[in-house]
Amino acid sequence: MIQFFPTERNESYATPDTDFMLVNNVPEKIQKKLQVSCYDCHSNNTAYPWYNKVQPAAWFLKDHVKEGKAELNFNEWDSLSDRRKKSKLRSIIKQIENGEMPLESYTFIHRDAMLSNVDAQIIIDFMAKLKDSLN
Amino acid sequence: MKTVKRSIGTLALAATMILTISCKDANQKEATAAMDNEAQQETTKNSGDIAMNDSQESSSEVILKDYFNLKDALVNDDQAKAKDLGMTLTTSLKSFDVSNYSESEQTELKDIIEDATEHAEHIAKSEIKHQREHFKTLSKDMTDMVAITGTEVKLYEQFCPMYDGGTAWLSTKEEVRNPYYGSQMLKCGKVQREIN
């Protein structure tokens, strides 16, 4: 029965001017990694997995994405003040360093979202440089 | 067929995991609501005490007081207390009235408060390692706030060169008690600046 209840989808194909990739000069390789490993939950556009067609998974996913976006939304990056950006960058770095992001419950299904040690280091270095460039 | 089986297994596992997390969340929210109430009462009481003086100053003083209590909890390695105090600080940050400051100061203060609130909220729901990570940026926010609001209390900016490439915090006492390491390295650090 619950299969007939539709869930609002987090899908927006227009990239806003405030997007992280647009305002920062992000190397293509890192762009791809962020897109696959972070943007599903931390932007306005989720590349939905097959199980989103199945309830109650879709409901859980919706909450999950909502929470992720509230914490950090890459699409709205440039609307943050420098202070807020630095805070977010620090958290991004710490979470990746500690292996807390991307979430295990996510990479468990999205194997391609897993970050190798090398990938993680490249992203951390980039974020650290970006953080130092802010006042 | 094998893949289908695996997919169903994965889904079931994912659903169970998410369910478990949601239940935990619900409990946490209830507890948070209860704490919120207490915290609010406490803040009202506190601001009542200080409202005698200058109402503009009182709020930043309340925020500082909550910050120092939080710092002491971290010095004592007391994660549960730090959690509660993170909640208390969140409430006092949110009720900070900046209307008496100049326009540019207000912009800056709002920015500081927004940032600090996020860190306080995280401290209210994290393990001690995370609490300390957030306390670092919170300390920077508090230092910047004091630069605008000033304070009646004498403060010491202390610095630990070991934690996360060098990290500062504020204290009302001159002797160093390290909130980033607690009992592990209680006296690591030095006074790098006196405020007032």
Side-chain angles (χ1 to χ4, degrees), chain B residues 15-173:
Chain B
T16 321
M17 276 191 314
I18 297 166
L19 263 175
T20 326
I21 293 166
S22 310
C23 292
K24 212 173 71 192
D25 268 359
N27 285 340
Q28 222 167 30
K29 265 179 203 144
E30 261 173 50
T32 309
M35 272 198 297
D36 229 353
N37 242 336
E38 271 174 41
Q40 224 146 24
Q41 277 169 3
E42 206 173 300
T43 320
T44 327
K45 216 168 56 199
N46 290 335
S47 27
D49 286 343
I50 308 174
M52 307 263 185
N53 307 327
D54 189 349
S55 63
Q56 174 195 309
E57 294 289 294
S58 73
S59 232
S60 63
E61 298 290 354
V62 169
I63 290 171
L64 280 176
K65 187 183 68 69
D66 292 345
Y67 166 82
F68 292 127
N69 288 338
L70 172 61
K71 176 201 58 119
D72 291 341
L74 292 176
V75 166
N76 295 324
D77 300 313
D78 193 338
Q79 184 263 353
K81 197 164 177 199
K83 234 171 151 171
D84 288 356
L85 291 166
M87 191 62 68
T88 311
L89 179 60
T90 303
T91 314
S92 49
L93 281 166
K94 281 183 175 166
S95 60
F96 185 18
D97 178 17
V98 296
S99 59
N100 287 331
Y101 294 91
S102 77
E103 209 174 305
S104 64
E105 285 173 339
Q106 283 190 27
T107 314
E108 182 76 18
L109 280 174
K110 279 182 194 160
D111 186 31
I112 292 171
I113 297 303
E114 193 189 341
D115 198 67
T117 304
E118 190 175 305
H119 295 297
E121 280 171 348
H122 275 269
I123 288 169
K125 61 178 180 191
S126 303
E127 291 313 306
I128 197 148
K129 183 165 173 269
H130 263 314
Q131 289 178 326
R132 287 173 164 148
E133 281 170 12
H134 285 287
F135 188 75
K136 172 174 180 159
T137 326
L138 178 67
S139 294
K140 168 85 170 75
D141 289 337
M142 291 297 100
T143 310
D144 293 346
M145 181 189 81
V146 169
I148 297 173
T149 62
T151 172
E152 287 163 8
V153 192
K154 185 172 178 70
L155 300 182
Y156 299 88
E157 187 179 77
Q158 302 180 331
F159 182 80
C160 167
M162 285 182 70
Y163 185 80
D164 195 29
T167 302
W169 72 97
L170 295 176
S171 175
T172 50
K173 296 190 187 73

Side-chain angles (χ1 to χ4, degrees), chain A:
Chain A
M1 187 57 193
I2 57 169
Q3 301 307 329
F4 298 107
F5 287 96
T7 316
E8 202 185 306
R9 290 168 76 91
N10 182 47
E11 281 176 326
S12 155
Y13 295 102
T15 311
D17 301 343
T18 49
D19 184 66
F20 184 86
M21 314 280 204
L22 283 182
V23 296
N24 299 307
N25 205 354
V26 188
E28 204 175 320
K29 197 176 166 229
I30 297 181
Q31 280 202 29
K32 271 189 191 145
K33 273 285 149 200
L34 294 179
Q35 201 82 48
V36 174
S37 299
C38 317
Y39 265 55
D40 268 356
C41 296
H42 294 290
S43 83
N44 297 329
N45 197 9
T46 306
Y48 281 100
W50 60 268
Y51 58 82
N52 192 54
K53 303 242 185 294
V54 191
Q55 294 290 19
W59 287 335
F60 293 132
L61 212 66
K62 191 183 149 204
D63 269 0
H64 200 75
V65 172
K66 207 173 124 196
E67 241 177 76
K69 270 168 69 172
E71 208 59 64
L72 168 71
N73 187 336
F74 279 112
N75 284 155
E76 292 167 7
W77 180 256
D78 214 31
S79 61
L80 298 172
S81 69
D82 279 0
R83 178 185 302 273
R84 308 283 293 125
K85 282 179 187 162
K86 272 163 79 172
S87 264
K88 298 288 181 196
L89 286 167
R90 184 188 306 280
S91 295
I92 292 170
I93 293 167
K94 286 286 164 207
Q95 300 259 307
I96 298 178
E97 255 175 15
N98 297 338
E100 288 162 55
M101 281 288 160
L103 285 179
E104 249 173 68
S105 57
Y106 176 74
T107 51
F108 180 75
I109 297 162
H110 297 81
R111 307 309 288 178
D112 55 339
M114 275 169 73
L115 295 177
S116 67
N117 288 345
V118 177
D119 290 338
Q121 200 51 54
I122 291 172
I123 294 176
I124 289 170
D125 290 346
F126 177 80
M127 297 292 177
K129 225 170 87 192
L130 187 58
K131 183 160 97 40
D132 291 340
S133 74
L134 297 169
N135 292 319

